[in-house]
């Protein structure tokens, strides 16, 4: 299993490079995002995975941000309403696309000749909107939904789960427990605010204390501007015993799309990442707005 | 009250049919327009073109491309307003008023290009502040009043002839939006989205809702955003409850949402099941049951508008 190579690198204190943005890279290449393009343009999505591998990524993440049953069902009043006016495939769509996203990343890895060297991380986000801890479902409901999601990605062949853009300790703990229970390696990435806290108001110290006993494999920070990632690293680095990592977003969120800016060209993003590495980050990558060029720049930090 | 609306009101009083246009969102998406900011920033020519096609197909009313557009659509995908300022694109906070102005201007320009400035009215569209299919999310009274008033005022300032409250899912929000429209000095039509049971999506009785809107000063009551077969019964219920003009506009096909929340992505599939001829067969039934206003909701297009025009006849239009 490809995660063993990654586990080995982390144990030997070698830097592991994670890929960059997928959703935003789809937009940057002037393709609309709406349905993840998993059904309509699979070769195009796979091409982005291959580009990240060629840029030097050791771990690539699936194109599955917010791809879950709940995100689709939220558009209807209830089941009766969904059945009455909804598309007929909605019961199966999330699982089908999620599995497709994993298979596509594996296919991209194999085509890039990186089998055994590059691990495929199933990207899974909070069940409700990633920036809204107030919407999170209760733990027993969350457990049931994560069981379904992680079961699908495991069956499809993911090497690990990357639970990303997480906003609360509670949801992270439930998900970690489920993933480890299924035998899946589990990385958890939190969004830090300007003060280095979670969006729920909890601290990274609390997150570390909750997740390490559950067997989390790494704790990361993502989807915040570089300065906020630095603020989070000040909290995370002194407390974590598991490997830690960083992947910031660059540019601005312009819903439902992304605004690309030239504030952090690859060289400058590399400098930020070098600082996080000096603070203790073992996993370096890019979130929204980063490109294969940014990942290529990080590869030289290994 | 504007002259243009007077013409429409007279037509309604005399029981002559009034034809609403078809949808903007689902048709723009069907045409391949990338759904961002309702296409109002990046694809304004396509928006105007579609309005114009509806006008040329014979619509008496053009609706602004503002369905499910309000500041909450953007604010809801951030932690809060500070987070929006911190990581959001510049200007996001003030974007919606600008989009509303553009939406009215584009509809008006299209009307002029079609040469129908003296026969077609512009309806400024307001819809539920939260997702139109989620009555459980309707905000508190204070937010409802303030936010609908702000949007209604812009529609009025830019020259909308009247207000159409579309896909309202609760009496409470409809009442607040109706009051907001009247405070802005606009005549108001109220349209409710039907649930699978045939009443409001929020499960209140359609007849009760109609009576409440009549008391609140609405000029017409409609039902929309449900499959065509559902609307005949709804028209019966409306006719029993109110003496106001009644209308109906149905969806064609099935709603196929995006995976993310963001703004309501108006994508409909299986719309081929409702070609114009079949749709008009249903509209004929709504007419027979007493509907004066007919049109098309999500999934229909200018072809449906043209077919409905033939159903209504020229109706003494200028």
């Amino acid at each position: 299993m490809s995660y063993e190579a990654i586990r080995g690198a982390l144990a030997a204190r070698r830097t592991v490079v994670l890929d960059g943005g997928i959703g935003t890279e789809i937009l940057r290449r002037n393709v609309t995002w709406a349905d993840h393009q998993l059904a309509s343009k699979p070769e195009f999505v796979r091409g982005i995975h291959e580009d990240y591998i060629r840029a030097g990524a050791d771990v690539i993440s699936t194109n599955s941000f917010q791809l879950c049953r709940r995100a689709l069902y939220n558009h209807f009043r209830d089941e009766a309403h969904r059945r009455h006016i909804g598309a007929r495939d909605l019961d199966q769509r999330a699982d089908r696309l999620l599995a497709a996203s994993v298979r596509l990343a594996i296919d991209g890895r194999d085509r890039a000749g990186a089998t055994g060297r590059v691990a495929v991380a199933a990207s899974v986000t909070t069940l409700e909107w990633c920036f809204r801890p107030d919407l999170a479902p209760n733990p027993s409901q969350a457990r049931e939904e994560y069981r379904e999601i992680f079961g699908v990605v495991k069956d499809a062949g993911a090497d690990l789960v990357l639970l990303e853009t997480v906003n609360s300790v509670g949801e992270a703990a439930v998900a970690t427990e489920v993933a480890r229970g299924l035998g899946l390696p589990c990385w958890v990435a939190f969004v830090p605010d300007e003060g280095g806290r979670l969006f729920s108001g909890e601290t990274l110290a609390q997150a570390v204390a909750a997740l390490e006993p559950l067997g989390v494999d790494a704790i990361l920070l993502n989807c915040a501007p570089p300065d906020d990632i630095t603020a989070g690293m000040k909290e995370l680095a002194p407390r974590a015993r598991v490997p830690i990592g960083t992947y910031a977003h660059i540019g601005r969120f312009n819903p439902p799309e992304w605004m690309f800016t030239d504030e952090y060209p690859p060289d400058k993003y590399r400098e930020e990442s070098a600082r996080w590495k000096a603070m203790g980050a073992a996993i370096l990558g890019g979130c929204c707005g980063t490109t294969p060029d940014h990942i290529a720049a990080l590869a030289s930090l290994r | 009250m504007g002259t243009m609306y007077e013409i429409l009101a007279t037509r309604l009083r005399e029981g002559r049919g009034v034809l609403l246009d078809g949808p903007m969102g689902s048709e723009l998406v069907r045409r391949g327009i990338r759904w961002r900011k309702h296409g109002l920033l990046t694809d304004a020519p396509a928006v105007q073109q579609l309005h114009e096609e509806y006008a040329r197909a014979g619509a008496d009313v053009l609706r602004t491309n503002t369905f499910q557009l309000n500041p909450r659509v953007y604010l809801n995908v951030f932690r809060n307003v500070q987070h929006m300022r911190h990581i959001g694109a510049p200007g996001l906070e003030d974007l919606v008023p600008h989009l509303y102005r553009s939406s009215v201007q584009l509809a008006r320009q299209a009307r002029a290009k079609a040469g129908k400035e003296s026969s077609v009215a512009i309806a400024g569209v307001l819809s539920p502040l939260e997702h139109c299919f989620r009555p459980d999310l309707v905000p508190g009274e204070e937010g409802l009043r303030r936010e609908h008033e702000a949007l209604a005022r812009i529609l009025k300032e830019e020259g909308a002839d009247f207000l159409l409250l579309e896909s309202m899912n609760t009496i409470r929000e409809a009442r607040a939006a109706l009051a907001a429209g009247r405070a802005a000095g606009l005549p108001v039509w109220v349209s409710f989205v039907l649930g699978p049971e045939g009443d409001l999506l929020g499960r209140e009785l359609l007849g009760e809702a109609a009576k409440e809107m009549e008391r609140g000063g609405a000029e017409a009551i409609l039902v929309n955003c449900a499959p065509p077969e559902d609307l005949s019964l709804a028209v019966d219920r409306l006719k029993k409850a109110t003496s106001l003009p009644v209308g109906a506009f149905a969806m064609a096909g099935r709603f196929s949402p995006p995976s993310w929340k963001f703004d309501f992505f108006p994508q409909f599939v299986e719309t081929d099941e409702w070609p114009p001829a079949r749709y008009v067969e249903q509209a004929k039934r709504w007419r027979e049951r007493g509907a004066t206003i007919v049109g098309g909701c999500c999934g229909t297009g200018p072809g449906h508008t043209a077919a409905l025009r033939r159903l209504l006849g020229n109706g003494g239009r200028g």
Side-chain angles (χ1 to χ4, degrees):
Chain A
M1 166 155 152
S2 301
Y3 189 70
E4 289 316 313
I6 305 301
R7 197 193 301 280
L10 290 172
R13 303 196 172 277
R14 284 201 302 275
T15 296
V16 166
V17 175
L18 179 63
D19 63 1
I22 292 276
T24 54
E25 186 61 10
I26 289 173
L27 294 170
R28 199 177 67 88
R29 297 182 185 196
N30 213 22
V31 169
T32 183
W33 166 259
D35 62 355
H36 289 74
Q37 297 297 353
L38 288 163
S40 40
K41 291 192 171 68
E43 304 83 9
F44 170 79
V45 174
R46 190 179 60 210
I48 296 175
H49 289 312
E50 292 176 50
D51 287 348
Y52 277 123
I53 291 171
R54 275 194 285 274
D58 303 306
V59 177
I60 57 169
S61 51
T62 57
N63 176 30
S64 49
F65 180 75
Q66 287 265 301
L67 189 48
C68 62
R69 182 185 290 280
R70 177 181 284 264
L72 296 172
Y73 286 13
N74 274 346
H75 288 278
F76 300 90
R77 183 192 70 184
D78 57 12
E79 186 182 347
H81 184 231
R82 188 175 75 246
R83 298 210 182 284
H84 195 60
I85 70 154
R88 295 177 212 274
D89 71 333
L90 289 178
D91 287 359
Q92 305 90 35
R93 189 190 290 177
D95 286 355
R96 182 171 51 78
L97 290 179
L98 192 55
S101 76
V102 174
R103 286 195 299 268
L104 203 55
I106 292 172
D107 192 19
R109 171 180 67 185
D110 296 346
R111 281 167 173 261
T115 316
R117 176 172 64 80
V118 166
V120 169
S123 158
V124 177
T125 319
T126 50
L127 298 167
E128 284 286 348
W129 186 246
C130 57
F131 294 142
R132 296 283 304 275
D134 56 310
L135 301 178
N138 67 49
S140 68
Q141 186 62 39
R143 185 167 291 112
E144 195 178 306
E145 293 177 37
Y146 278 118
R147 267 198 200 115
E148 175 180 348
I149 292 167
F150 293 165
V152 169
V153 301
K154 186 185 178 186
D155 290 348
D159 298 308
L160 70 150
V161 297
L162 173 57
L163 185 71
E164 42 183 0
T165 326
V166 182
N167 56 46
S168 73
V169 174
E171 191 163 344
V174 166
T176 302
E177 218 172 352
V178 173
R180 297 304 296 127
L182 289 168
L184 280 166
C186 180
W187 292 5
V188 177
F190 292 99
V191 187
D193 68 12
E194 290 164 272
R197 279 177 177 257
L198 272 51
F199 276 23
S200 61
E202 294 161 303
T203 62
L204 280 158
Q206 289 172 299
V208 169
L211 299 189
E212 285 189 341
L214 297 173
V216 72
D217 293 275
I219 299 177
L220 302 91
L221 301 169
N222 83 305
C223 212
D227 287 350
D228 299 4
I229 297 290
T230 303
M233 276 299 281
K234 287 180 186 159
E235 302 298 314
L236 178 62
R239 294 175 174 92
R241 277 166 296 180
V242 294
I244 60 175
T246 52
Y247 53 117
H249 71 220
I250 58 178
R252 300 211 149 229
F253 182 28
N254 190 19
E257 299 198 343
W258 193 258
M259 178 183 165
F260 295 88
T261 66
D262 52 10
E263 210 182 338
Y264 288 96
D267 283 355
K268 197 171 168 203
Y269 188 68
R270 182 184 183 278
E271 282 172 35
E272 294 291 329
S273 298
R275 178 185 314 157
W276 301 326
K277 182 180 174 174
M279 293 173 82
I283 304 160
L284 302 175
C287 198
C288 310
T290 61
T291 68
D293 287 346
H294 290 85
I295 300 310
L298 295 186
S300 64
L301 290 173
R302 244 188 318 239
Chain B
M1 204 177 281
T3 325
M4 204 52 251
Y5 187 76
E6 260 315 313
I7 295 170
L8 205 57
T10 304
R11 211 178 295 159
L12 284 177
R13 261 197 306 279
E14 293 170 0
R16 283 182 283 156
V18 167
L19 179 55
L20 284 182
D21 59 0
M24 297 304 292
S26 62
E27 180 62 12
L28 287 168
V29 167
R30 197 187 64 79
R31 293 176 179 202
I33 299 301
R34 208 153 130 178
W35 193 246
R36 40 184 171 176
K37 315 298 189 287
H38 281 52
L40 290 163
L41 293 182
T42 46
D43 294 284
V47 173
Q48 192 189 317
Q49 165 72 26
L50 181 53
H51 281 310
E52 194 184 328
E53 286 179 36
Y54 283 128
R56 291 188 191 281
D60 298 313
V61 175
L62 297 183
R63 289 173 287 163
T64 57
N65 180 25
T66 48
F67 184 70
Q68 292 276 276
L69 179 61
N70 69 72
R72 282 171 188 261
V73 166
Y74 300 112
L75 189 55
N76 279 351
V77 292
F78 293 91
R79 179 189 192 182
N80 52 33
V81 71
Q82 288 76 26
H83 185 228
M84 180 191 253
R85 288 174 194 147
H86 186 53
I87 74 155
L92 218 42
E93 246 178 288
D94 309 312
L95 181 65
V96 167
H98 169 69
L99 295 179
Y100 264 64
R101 289 183 206 290
S102 302
S103 75
V104 182
Q105 287 158 13
L106 287 169
R108 292 184 61 172
Q109 286 158 11
R111 173 171 67 179
K113 276 186 79 179
K116 305 221 173 181
E117 280 166 301
S118 57
S119 59
V120 167
I122 308 286
V125 168
L126 291 184
S127 55
L129 295 174
E130 293 285 352
H131 199 304
C132 65
F133 293 152
R134 293 289 302 275
D136 57 312
L137 301 179
V138 171
E141 296 302 324
E142 168 62 21
L144 287 179
R145 194 180 52 75
R146 193 184 57 241
E147 294 171 50
H148 281 301
E149 265 178 21
L151 298 172
R153 260 200 306 275
I154 299 171
L155 292 168
K156 162 82 175 171
E157 280 166 17
E158 291 301 319
D161 298 303
F162 70 106
L163 203 62
L164 174 59
L165 309 181
E166 237 179 83
S167 299
M168 300 312 285
N169 56 40
T170 60
I171 292 177
R172 191 163 68 80
E173 180 158 9
R175 193 195 292 126
L178 168 57
R182 286 175 49 85
L186 286 168
V188 182
W189 295 6
V190 184
S191 188
F192 292 101
V193 51
L194 287 182
E197 304 84 7
D199 284 299
L200 266 57
L201 197 60
R203 300 179 198 274
E204 292 160 304
L205 296 178
L206 185 57
E208 294 301 313
K211 284 178 194 156
E212 178 71 21
M213 294 307 115
E214 185 165 5
R215 279 194 291 274
E219 307 256 335
I221 316 287
L222 302 87
V223 285
N224 75 293
C225 215
E229 306 98 318
D230 293 6
L231 295 192
S232 292
L233 174 64
V235 169
D236 283 343
R237 287 178 175 171
L238 286 180
K239 288 302 287 183
K240 270 187 208 124
T242 178
S243 55
L244 292 174
V246 157
F249 51 119
M251 61 166 59
R254 304 183 75 91
F255 178 41
S256 182
S259 334
W260 318 31
K261 291 176 83 73
F262 283 142
D263 57 330
F264 185 101
F265 184 72
Q267 182 166 267
F268 279 70
V269 294
E270 298 181 35
T271 53
D272 293 350
E273 288 180 19
W274 288 99
R278 186 178 173 211
Y279 188 87
V280 165
E281 281 310 307
Q282 291 292 329
K284 202 185 278 178
R285 294 183 196 173
W286 313 334
R287 287 282 288 153
E288 286 161 5
R289 286 167 155 80
T292 322
I293 307 158
V294 295
C297 195
C298 313
T300 68
H304 296 80
T305 309
L308 289 170
R309 181 76 269 164
R310 288 190 291 274
L311 171 73
L312 294 185
N314 197 37
R317 297 160 80 243

